[in-house]
Amino acid sequence: MRRMSVFPQHGTALGNLGLTANEIRQETENNTSELISDLVNLSARARFQAIRSLPMPFNEKKAIRNRVNSVKLSKTILAADCRQQVSRSFRRFRASLASARQHLIIWQDTLKGIGSRFGTSVLSYFLFLKWLLKFNLFSLIVNFCFITIPQIVHEPNISSITGFRGLELLTGVGYFNQTVLFYGGYNGEVIVSKPTYNMQLAYFFTIAAYLVLCGVSLLYSMSRSFQKNFVLETGPVSGGAWRLLCSWDFSVVNEKAIQYNKNNLAIQLKESLSERLQEKNQMSLSDRIKRLSLHLLAWLLSLGLAVGSGAGIYFLGTNQELAFSSNHDPSDLGAEASTLLLPVVVSLINLIVPLLYSLISKIESYSNPRAMIYISIVRNVILKMSILGILCFYWLDSVPEKTSCWESFVGQSVYRLLIIDFIFCLLGIFFGEFLRNVIGTMCIQTLGVPEFDIARNVLDLIYAQTLAWIGIYFSPLLPVMQVLKLFIIFYLKKISLSMNCQPPKHTGRAAQIQTVFIALLFFPSFVGALSMVAFTVWSLKPSDQCGPFQGLDTPFHTIFSWTDSLPEYHWVGWIFENILRSELFYYLISLIVLVITYFLWQITQGRKQLIKTLREQIVNEGKDKAFLLNKLKNLQKERREMASYRSQDYDQTPYFNPNWMNTLPLDM
Amino acid sequence: MGNKQTIFTSQQLDAYQDCTYFTRKEILRLFHRYRDLAPQLVPLDYKNQPEVRLPYELIGSMPELKDNPFRQRIAEVFSEDGEGNMTLDDFLDMFSVLSEMAPRDLKAYYAFKIYDFNNDDFICKSDLEKTLNKLTRNELTEDEVRMVCEKVMDEADLDNDGRLSLEDFQHMIVRAPDFLSTFHIRI
């Protein structure tokens, strides 16, 4: 409804045309009647949305709403009262549903407080955390209902030999070994009850359905976010001056934070001014070569560190962890505690190497701070994904031959990694933020208060979530730990933020960085976990002595045995055999998708061209408008001059006064 | 339906619900926030639509607005008399536009009006300079202020008439996806 948003009420446009007050009133009355007839023709919901988004003061909106309602009433055939009552009560019901739904949103007030004190970019970290929490809660509920409860109720499989010792919480072996926490605690029997419940199929389909739903939800969020935030960047958008009008954060209410934001804005504006001046200076060839070689050196160092840590972890894993598993003496606490060495080393690498990366990036010089943020994100992602990749390779390649019940072993490794990562996160909050704040304010004043580094924290969250997704197949109740962990981290980070940190300095383009994070959550993280689980299900032989898939060639064979057991010509079997298993189907689908992509790309190109033409048209219309206004002014000036000239003429000619009788002297 | 409240008639509450982005409960909560600013001026019974107008000083002292550099302009734009003295309708309208459910076009329209200090439906250079001075007190020199305003005008003025119209402003907002979340006051 663009027309409604440009109301030339007392505008100079109408004023310039020299219309009288009556004509202006007539014009606005025409506009209003058109508006009302437009509104009457909409559906009820669209009508109320349109009324709410009218850019008018409140009483005018109310007047329009009343007029629209009376027009609608006069059009109805049913009894006016009855219809009005029904629609009103329906609207009230919907409104009360909306307000009830708001109660269910957890942490609403806390998030509001954080946003008002620290701004929207820090708030985005907490919103991301809440989103991840929703994923894990959903997975927990689904797994618990469909896999764990049937297993517990019908076939309790606990045959533990050892009692519960405290070390289990950290290492996951021992007492937990045969419980439903890990893959080994499930078996694949068909539970004989009224509707028979096939545990194998249940296990397979629950995990598959959850992963597919996650993938769909991630794709949807990613595309929505991309569409909203990465608009076609036409025009001089590299300049920073738009920040003046668009980026002031009205939601920040804290006085200190507002002062802080003002300082930041001044710094950013100065930077953008100096950028403009710097564009004029061309860099000499030797400078450019020097910068390029520094960049190259930095990249080599970073990649070398990543590869080195990967190799170290692999060697540590192959030498050390397997030694324990072949030992299997449950009372050897020392050997069990030594399994914690690998996770501790992994967490140390995750902690120290990013610090080294930030040191390395100090030797480079970047043209703009945004490039620095993106490059540091890329390097950290490469590091974390290479660590996870090496671990997955090790788990899928060397472990299955050497251990019995290897899936439980992998589940326990993931469990240990997650727990130690959590402990290191707690230590990081304590040392990295609390002590650093103390040192920065009391001992070494120049260091200052630590900044809340959003990128590093979000990447830690993504790393932990990747581990959780990998571990879901091997340990269905792993989301319990992830949920608890996210809860505790939320509150601790909030407290630490209020006490210790200050918001980050460069807050521009928060929305774009948010899209990048969602994309990172999808592409290396979720896709990697999904491919690992898919590889396990498709091609690895499950262990023979434990788990729901004992005795099969691959876990995927449960589907085959299920479709074989279905009656002949059952529609599910038919779909499976002829569509999902035939290659022709996938070729056709790929071909169709490629063709559609090509068409959409062509449409985008055409639209870009159209936008360029329209921009030129706007410039031309501006020139036309200026020309016409000038001409109008000249015309009005001429007319006024003519009128004043003519009135002077008129005065000089003889003028017969019909009232001449009264002009005679009185005493005649 | 539901709770008994004696402040408004049900038609009034329906009108408020239809014309703002708030639910019944939020409207009542906002009424109590309005009343807490001056309990002796605001009656508890709005059924016969009393003419109550809170002066700008009270509105500007609300915790959500008291440190905002634009609080005066916000109050002036949303008040009926243009001076910042707000009735309950103006108050609800203001927070409805500044809530998170308002669409981008509506927010852009009101943001434009807020930044238009001389109320001539265009943002000219002097408006930009006043905006800049409100956002950065002493950090920029005279020259830098002038250069920044020139730069904004260069980047945003599409039809080259030396001032920003509403369409220029809306075009600039499209390139700033953060706008929806930053032009937002929680209450």
Side-chain angles (χ1 to χ4, degrees):
Chain A
M1 298 266 178
R2 285 266 327 161
R3 203 155 37 97
M4 286 193 279
S5 64
V6 187
F7 255 59
Q9 292 277 7
H10 317 286
T12 48
L14 275 182
N16 258 346
L17 292 175
L19 297 176
T20 64
N22 261 341
E23 283 168 320
I24 294 181
R25 232 195 331 263
Q26 189 64 28
E27 184 75 29
T28 39
E29 180 53 41
N30 284 344
N31 281 343
T32 320
S33 340
E34 277 181 44
L35 173 63
I36 290 184
S37 52
D38 274 340
L39 285 175
V40 163
N41 291 334
L42 294 174
S43 74
R45 202 159 157 215
R47 192 180 333 136
F48 286 118
Q49 265 312 98
I51 291 182
R52 280 191 194 120
S53 42
L54 285 174
M56 296 171 186
F58 188 81
N59 37 7
E60 290 180 32
K61 261 195 277 202
K62 210 160 55 165
I64 291 201
R65 171 216 179 230
N66 291 338
R67 279 177 70 171
V68 167
N69 275 349
S70 55
V71 168
K72 270 305 260 200
L73 267 178
S74 63
K75 285 192 176 180
T76 54
I77 319 168
L78 291 180
D81 264 346
C82 170
R83 177 107 176 210
Q84 204 181 27
Q85 286 279 41
V86 164
S87 71
R88 205 185 305 159
S89 52
F90 189 61
R91 248 185 297 135
R92 282 198 203 144
F93 175 64
R94 239 199 328 223
S96 63
L97 261 186
S99 63
R101 199 164 47 140
Q102 278 207 341
H103 272 300
L104 291 177
I105 303 180
I106 53 172
W107 292 331
Q108 181 95 330
D109 293 332
T110 324
L111 289 174
K112 167 183 163 178
I114 294 177
S116 67
R117 252 192 88 178
F118 292 103
T120 34
S121 54
V122 171
L123 185 62
S124 66
Y125 167 76
F126 288 93
L127 288 173
F128 193 77
L129 211 162
K130 200 171 100 161
W131 191 47
L132 287 181
L133 183 69
K134 280 191 221 166
F135 275 127
N136 287 305
L137 262 178
F138 176 64
S139 144
L140 177 66
I141 293 175
V142 155
N143 281 354
F144 197 69
C145 294
F146 288 109
I147 318 183
T148 312
I149 288 189
Q151 181 73 30
I152 291 180
V153 166
H154 285 272
E155 316 262 349
N157 207 2
I158 300 183
S159 56
S160 64
I161 331 157
T162 57
F164 183 79
R165 306 153 297 162
L167 199 55
E168 265 91 21
L169 282 178
L170 281 184
T171 60
V173 295
Y175 178 70
F176 281 154
N177 216 350
Q178 289 289 333
T179 58
V180 288
L181 183 56
F182 295 114
Y183 177 93
Y186 297 88
N187 59 21
E189 266 131 51
V190 179
I191 297 174
V192 178
S193 55
K194 199 63 203 327
T196 57
Y197 193 78
N198 189 338
M199 273 300 290
Q200 280 185 343
L201 284 181
Y203 197 95
F204 182 84
F205 277 128
T206 313
I207 307 255
Y210 169 68
L211 285 175
V212 163
L213 277 174
C214 267
V216 164
S217 152
L218 276 175
L219 269 176
Y220 177 70
S221 310
M222 193 168 72
S223 50
R224 277 276 301 261
S225 182
F226 185 79
Q227 185 192 37
K228 226 174 23 156
N229 300 334
F230 274 89
V231 192
L232 287 169
E233 304 211 324
T234 56
V237 84
S238 59
W242 59 271
R243 282 194 197 103
L244 175 64
L245 286 181
C246 305
S247 70
W248 177 255
D249 198 343
F250 281 71
S251 62
V252 177
V253 161
N254 186 330
E255 188 185 337
K256 247 186 359 174
I258 288 183
Q259 193 54 42
Y260 187 73
N261 281 352
K262 281 191 191 175
N263 290 343
N264 274 353
L265 184 65
I267 293 177
Q268 283 172 7
L269 285 173
K270 280 202 213 191
E271 267 176 20
S272 76
L273 277 183
S274 68
E275 261 172 37
R276 189 193 205 194
L277 295 173
Q278 224 178 45
E279 270 165 21
K280 320 264 177 84
N281 313 338
Q282 286 291 357
M283 274 191 303
S284 62
L285 190 63
S286 67
D287 268 347
R288 250 186 282 176
I289 290 185
K290 200 168 76 157
R291 264 182 59 171
L292 211 59
S293 58
L294 275 179
H295 278 305
L296 213 59
L297 180 66
W299 271 104
L300 277 175
L301 278 176
S302 327
L303 288 176
L305 273 173
V307 166
S309 11
I313 290 175
Y314 185 71
F315 283 125
L316 195 63
T318 45
N319 284 341
Q320 198 272 332
E321 234 174 314
L322 286 182
F324 167 71
S325 67
S326 51
N327 212 341
H328 257 321
D329 187 3
S331 56
D332 194 353
L333 283 182
E336 207 174 302
S338 66
T339 58
L340 289 177
L341 184 62
L342 182 66
V344 167
V345 167
V346 169
S347 294
L348 274 178
I349 290 181
N350 268 332
L351 188 66
I352 296 181
V353 176
L355 292 176
L356 291 176
Y357 280 168
S358 59
L359 276 179
I360 290 176
S361 71
K362 283 209 210 308
I363 65 171
E364 304 171 281
S365 63
Y366 288 101
S367 46
N368 56 339
R370 216 165 26 113
M372 189 173 77
I373 295 181
Y374 281 139
I375 289 191
S376 90
I377 289 180
V378 165
R379 285 187 187 151
N380 279 312
V381 165
I382 292 180
L383 171 73
K384 291 192 156 68
M385 291 306 141
S386 59
I387 291 180
L388 285 174
I390 293 278
L391 282 172
C392 289
F393 175 70
Y394 158 64
W395 285 329
L396 295 181
D397 196 59
S398 0
V399 169
E401 292 105 34
K402 303 189 186 147
T403 352
S404 67
C405 211
W406 61 274
E407 287 101 344
S408 288
F409 178 76
V410 175
Q412 285 154 10
S413 306
V414 173
Y415 177 84
R416 285 192 284 261
L417 277 170
L418 274 177
I419 284 250
I420 299 289
D421 183 68
F422 178 50
I423 293 181
F424 266 78
C425 182
L426 295 179
L427 288 177
I429 293 180
F430 184 69
F431 285 108
E433 294 174 9
F434 176 64
L435 277 189
R436 167 94 166 61
N437 184 33
V438 165
I439 294 178
T441 46
M442 307 219 190
C443 308
I444 313 178
Q445 296 282 22
T446 49
L447 268 184
V449 181
E451 255 182 45
F452 185 76
D453 191 351
I454 297 178
R456 194 170 50 88
N457 284 307
V458 169
L459 286 179
D460 283 340
L461 281 180
I462 294 180
Y463 169 76
Q465 188 58 38
T466 318
L467 275 178
W469 274 328
I470 291 178
I472 251 193
Y473 175 75
F474 304 103
S475 160
L477 285 187
L478 202 63
V480 170
M481 224 196 64
Q482 186 73 349
V483 163
L484 285 174
K485 189 176 149 180
L486 285 174
F487 243 98
I488 297 179
I489 287 188
F490 182 89
Y491 286 111
L492 282 180
K493 282 276 175 193
K494 180 179 88 95
I495 295 175
S496 162
L497 191 63
S498 345
M499 282 194 348
N500 304 335
C501 302
Q502 61 184 3
K505 290 192 169 51
H506 283 282
T507 56
R509 308 280 181 140
Q512 283 187 341
I513 294 210
Q514 184 109 15
T515 314
V516 168
F517 287 143
I518 299 181
L520 281 177
L521 187 65
F522 180 72
F523 173 58
S525 163
F526 176 73
V527 167
L530 183 65
S531 43
M532 184 196 165
V533 172
F535 180 71
T536 316
V537 164
W538 215 279
S539 12
L540 284 186
K541 186 161 165 42
S543 52
D544 280 327
Q545 283 115 16
C546 59
F549 301 117
Q550 303 167 11
L552 295 170
D553 276 336
T554 68
F556 196 65
H557 277 72
T558 52
I559 304 274
F560 296 156
S561 44
W562 178 54
T563 48
D564 285 341
S565 71
L566 285 176
E568 197 69 40
Y569 301 128
H570 196 264
W571 60 272
V572 172
W574 185 87
I575 289 182
F576 185 68
E577 282 298 317
N578 300 336
I579 295 188
L580 290 181
R581 286 194 71 194
S582 71
E583 293 88 3
L584 186 61
F585 177 68
Y586 291 111
Y587 289 149
L588 275 178
I589 292 267
S590 315
L591 194 63
I592 293 177
V593 166
L594 278 174
V595 167
I596 293 181
T597 312
Y598 179 71
F599 273 138
L600 288 177
W601 182 61
Q602 290 294 75
I603 292 180
T604 315
Q605 297 294 100
R607 293 234 172 107
K608 274 197 204 160
Q609 192 63 31
L610 185 64
I611 288 179
K612 206 162 80 114
T613 323
L614 284 175
R615 281 182 132 243
E616 286 168 14
Q617 194 177 357
I618 291 180
V619 173
N620 285 339
E621 298 223 339
K623 291 191 194 141
D624 284 347
K625 189 166 79 171
F627 172 73
L628 285 174
L629 279 178
N630 247 345
K631 202 160 176 197
L632 193 65
K633 260 190 240 160
N634 290 340
L635 224 69
Q636 281 185 335
K637 206 161 55 163
E638 274 176 30
R639 205 191 296 170
R640 246 183 284 129
E641 278 176 12
M642 288 269 288
S644 66
Y645 179 67
R646 212 180 298 131
S647 64
Q648 276 177 13
D649 262 1
Y650 205 52
D651 277 344
Q652 281 172 3
T653 57
Y655 165 65
F656 182 68
N657 186 357
N659 224 2
W660 62 272
M661 294 275 276
N662 291 339
T663 57
L664 293 174
L666 270 178
D667 54 13
M668 272 206 36
Chain B
M1 167 166 181
N3 318 326
K4 293 229 195 294
Q5 49 85 26
T6 51
I7 311 174
F8 300 105
T9 63
S10 57
Q11 282 90 348
Q12 281 177 317
L13 264 185
D14 279 337
Y16 281 135
Q17 260 189 304
D18 287 342
C19 297
T20 64
Y21 290 96
F22 293 125
T23 61
R24 261 170 90 93
K25 241 167 107 168
E26 287 167 339
I27 293 173
L28 291 170
R29 186 169 59 91
L30 280 171
F31 169 76
H32 285 296
R33 285 296 302 268
Y34 183 72
R35 186 160 184 275
D36 287 339
L37 293 173
Q40 69 280 15
L41 285 178
V42 178
L44 266 176
D45 188 354
Y46 251 74
K47 292 200 182 70
N48 38 5
Q49 288 164 348
E51 271 287 322
V52 175
R53 204 175 281 259
L54 289 188
Y56 164 68
E57 289 72 26
L58 287 177
I59 305 283
S61 69
M62 287 183 69
E64 283 85 358
L65 287 177
K66 77 172 163 49
D67 288 313
N68 194 320
F70 292 107
R71 59 186 175 280
Q72 180 146 19
R73 278 301 299 164
I74 296 176
E76 283 171 16
V77 161
F78 284 102
S79 64
E80 220 174 292
D81 59 0
E83 304 280 318
N85 308 316
M86 302 181 93
T87 64
L88 178 65
D89 291 350
D90 299 331
F91 187 80
L92 284 173
D93 198 27
M94 171 170 76
F95 282 109
S96 162
V97 169
L98 288 168
S99 73
E100 54 200 353
M101 292 155 292
R104 185 168 61 189
D105 279 341
L106 187 65
K107 289 195 182 197
Y109 176 80
Y110 279 105
F112 183 77
K113 282 179 79 163
I114 287 176
Y115 293 135
D116 180 14
F117 280 79
N118 50 8
N119 283 326
D120 63 350
D121 288 339
F122 289 101
I123 295 184
C124 52
K125 272 221 184 110
S126 67
D127 292 332
L128 282 178
E129 279 177 16
K130 289 205 192 94
T131 309
L132 191 52
N133 283 331
K134 280 229 192 277
L135 286 180
T136 64
R137 200 41 69 152
N138 294 321
E139 292 93 357
L140 296 184
T141 66
E142 285 275 338
D143 260 350
E144 286 172 335
V145 166
R146 196 181 36 86
M147 284 203 294
V148 169
C149 294
E150 264 173 29
K151 197 158 186 244
V152 173
M153 207 48 90
D154 275 340
E155 289 179 6
D157 190 12
L158 287 177
D159 49 9
N160 283 332
D161 57 356
R163 48 198 185 164
L164 300 180
S165 64
L166 180 61
E167 284 87 7
D168 295 332
F169 187 73
Q170 279 177 329
H171 187 83
M172 191 166 53
I173 292 289
V174 161
R175 289 193 252 141
D178 290 326
F179 177 72
L180 265 181
S181 52
T182 54
F183 193 70
H184 166 37
I185 294 186
R186 286 179 190 82
I187 183 161

